[in-house]
Amino acid sequence: MKLLRSITILAGLLLACASAQAAQTNVAVAANFTDAAKEIAALFKQKTGHEAVLSFGASGQFYTQITQGAPFQVFLSADDSRPKKLVEEGLAVAGSRFTYAIGKLVLWSKSPGLVTGEETLKAASFAKLSICNPAAAPYGLAAVETMKSLNLYDALKPKLVEGATITQAYQFVETGNAEVGFVALSQLTGSEAGSRWVVPQELYNPIRQDAVLLKAGAGNEAAGAFITFLRGSEARAIIERYGYVLDGQS
Amino acid sequence: MEIWSAEIRQSVLLTVELAAISTAILLVLATPLAWWLARAKGWWTEIIASVVALPLVLPPTVLGFYLLVLLGPDGPGGWLARLWGARTLAFTFEGLVIGSVVYSMPFVVQPIRNAFAAMGERPLEVAATLRASPLRTFWTVAVPLARPGFLTGAVLGFAHTVGEFGLVLMIGGNIPGHTKVLSVALFDYVETSRWREASMLAGGMVVFAFAVILTMTLVDKRAARAAA
């Protein structure tokens, strides 16, 4: 009985703390932005007291979930077309959309010296090349565009393996199951291991990553604050550190 | 408007092929295992039985994680793959077969084990007094008596392999014609908002699952009537 009572008191205290705390918002984050978003959310909490609860996935997957009423208040996509479509469909707040980052595509291998440049793709001396699903993930689309620009898509197609998200494409290379893979530069931040080739911008359409306030977050204080924070200099410094280009600087 | 697109046909055929091959391998492996489990006495029997049953409880992601590492270039799968010049068994049809066999094993072993156990010692003793060799007893007495168990095991093993998703998503790499099975194709269609194809596949799976369950029920009923 004593134990039960102390549990009840403890639970009551926790509830009291939670309600006294600032607001919370659910944010859908494109997988490539995972590490940067975590850092931004931590700083966001420290500065504003609000909590951003992050979910990570492929942009296409989130888009479908949002059209089906997923309880997200903010969407950080890896492209600009899906946020735009959500605004057009009345699922996102018009005027809230902005480009928070421009992504960079990288060809990456864990083996030093394997990736030297586009000649690596031409030589194709690897068995598997991992990308993420081009239909659901913008970095996958950029990877396909790159191979098409180099006229290598048909030759490389039999070697492609697809991850559901850019995180899985990365993990296929990380576990050694694929020798090379197209990943986001942000995923390689803080490590110089292996070999990499930052794909020149002219080979693929810029990956303009847009954020948007969703209709479900229109009245949510924390959601609005998160969007504002994402535009601020502190968040921009983090975004830049992860290898993204900021809008208006490219 | 083409209803039965090449893309869907390919994933259906691939799924059936995967399930058929896995079921055949499962029956070969599960039969001696089920026989041993049904007849061995000793504390370790239930330990082995529990190990075989693990996939019933484990999330497919646990198996997916282990298989990704084990099939990879640094694991036994990689050594095996090197025999024919490949680097990894992940992203291959063979890799999916290995995964399916592990994943569906309990669904095949359990009914066969139960059927072997249910017949008791008596028929085997009778066969022995008629001087039948153990092997002959097994094929001419035990297997025919356990037929409903084999049927149930085969249907469940097949159906469960068709229904596999998390595992394939983690080790498959979504390659059309090799690893893009029905469940993954469906996931893809939903992710990319292709509702028409998604509902076709999902509807087909519902019909398939219903047919499986109905068949199982009818088989059980018939077996019960035959036993009575």
Side-chain angles (χ1 to χ4, degrees):
Chain A
M1 275 330 276
K2 212 168 165 190
L3 181 71
L4 193 67
R5 196 163 53 208
S6 30
I7 288 175
T8 318
I9 292 171
L10 194 67
L13 275 175
L14 280 173
L15 272 177
C17 288
S19 57
Q21 223 183 32
Q24 210 183 51
T25 180
N26 293 312
V27 184
V29 182
N32 76 85
F33 202 62
T34 300
D35 292 329
K38 279 181 184 162
E39 218 177 304
I40 290 171
L43 193 63
F44 174 65
K45 183 166 184 181
Q46 195 189 321
K47 297 277 166 170
T48 65
H50 298 311
E51 193 173 359
V53 180
L54 309 176
S55 305
F56 306 102
S59 300
Q61 177 193 333
F62 281 133
Y63 169 80
T64 306
Q65 290 176 358
I66 289 164
T67 61
Q68 299 306 305
F72 296 117
Q73 284 127 18
V74 179
F75 178 32
L76 307 190
S77 185
D79 66 357
D80 52 0
S81 62
R82 287 182 177 92
K84 203 169 147 197
K85 249 164 71 185
L86 288 170
V87 170
E88 283 162 11
E89 287 161 356
L91 292 164
V93 178
S96 69
R97 184 169 71 93
F98 74 101
T99 306
Y100 63 92
I102 297 168
K104 289 278 165 222
L105 185 70
V106 183
L107 184 70
W108 175 59
S109 169
K110 273 218 303 188
S111 318
L114 181 58
V115 173
T116 49
E118 61 178 79
E119 58 272 15
T120 305
L121 291 172
K122 285 193 178 117
S125 56
F126 44 77
K128 297 287 176 206
L129 167 62
S130 93
I131 63 171
C132 49
N133 185 342
Y139 281 83
L141 186 65
V144 171
E145 284 170 358
T146 300
M147 288 182 278
K148 281 186 173 159
S149 304
L150 296 169
N151 284 321
L152 292 170
Y153 183 59
D154 292 323
L156 290 171
K157 211 174 166 191
K159 301 194 170 196
L160 295 184
V161 292
E162 265 179 30
T165 60
I166 189 88
T167 315
Q168 207 184 9
Y170 175 89
Q171 168 249 316
F172 284 157
V173 180
E174 177 67 36
T175 56
N177 281 300
E179 299 101 307
V180 288
F182 278 107
V183 298
L185 181 57
S186 53
Q187 292 175 297
L188 302 178
T189 304
S191 158
E192 291 299 319
S195 50
R196 66 185 68 180
W197 172 50
V198 179
V199 180
Q201 187 60 71
E202 61 268 21
L203 293 179
Y204 63 97
N205 288 316
I207 306 173
R208 297 186 66 88
Q209 307 193 182
D210 279 11
V212 77
L213 182 65
L214 298 170
K215 271 284 150 70
N220 184 312
E221 191 194 341
F226 188 75
I227 290 268
T228 309
F229 190 77
L230 194 60
R231 286 175 177 272
S233 58
E234 288 160 314
R236 287 166 69 91
I238 294 174
I239 296 171
E240 221 173 357
R241 189 151 46 73
Y242 274 94
Y244 295 98
V245 173
L246 296 169
D247 198 17
Q249 289 187 358
S250 54
Chain B
M1 194 158 65
E2 203 194 348
I3 303 257
W4 190 238
S5 72
E7 211 176 32
I8 291 185
R9 193 169 51 231
Q10 189 178 44
S11 62
V12 170
L13 285 178
L14 183 70
T15 308
V16 170
E17 197 182 335
L18 175 67
I21 292 175
S22 302
T23 308
I25 295 175
L26 276 165
L27 285 174
V28 170
L29 296 180
T31 305
L33 186 59
W35 178 253
W36 181 77
L37 286 175
R39 316 193 48 78
K41 292 170 186 72
W43 58 270
W44 61 87
T45 318
E46 289 315 319
I47 304 247
I48 301 288
S50 304
V51 170
V52 173
L54 276 179
L56 285 176
V57 177
L58 286 178
T61 39
V62 172
L63 294 179
F65 164 63
Y66 282 134
L67 280 172
L68 193 68
V69 176
L70 292 177
L71 297 181
D74 302 324
W79 310 330
L80 203 64
R82 239 156 276 158
L83 294 179
W84 57 89
R87 273 183 81 250
T88 169
L89 277 180
F91 320 126
T92 62
F93 184 76
E94 292 77 11
L96 289 196
V97 170
I98 294 175
S100 308
V101 166
V102 175
Y103 181 61
S104 300
M105 187 62 91
F107 292 85
V108 184
V109 167
Q110 204 52 45
I112 302 179
R113 179 190 182 182
N114 291 344
F116 280 146
M119 71 181 64
E121 293 291 325
R122 186 78 186 133
L124 309 175
E125 284 165 7
V126 171
T129 57
L130 294 171
R131 295 179 153 213
S133 69
L135 199 63
R136 192 158 169 218
T137 309
F138 177 75
W139 285 113
T140 57
V141 179
V143 170
L145 277 174
R147 216 179 55 181
F150 279 100
L151 199 58
T152 307
V155 173
L156 281 183
F158 189 93
H160 197 241
T161 304
V162 169
E164 192 174 36
F165 170 68
L167 188 62
V168 186
L169 191 73
M170 286 180 77
I171 65 169
N174 204 7
I175 305 169
H178 292 278
T179 59
K180 192 171 185 174
V181 296
L182 269 180
S183 55
V184 173
L186 173 59
F187 175 71
D188 239 35
Y189 289 138
V190 175
E191 265 204 320
T192 50
S193 305
R194 289 166 69 180
W195 300 124
R196 204 177 62 85
E197 287 95 336
S199 21
M200 269 186 57
L201 283 190
M205 296 290 266
V206 170
V207 173
F208 168 76
F210 176 78
V212 166
I213 294 167
L214 189 67
T215 313
M216 297 299 307
T217 318
L218 294 179
V219 166
D220 272 0
K221 254 187 156 167
R222 242 185 77 186
R225 216 177 311 139

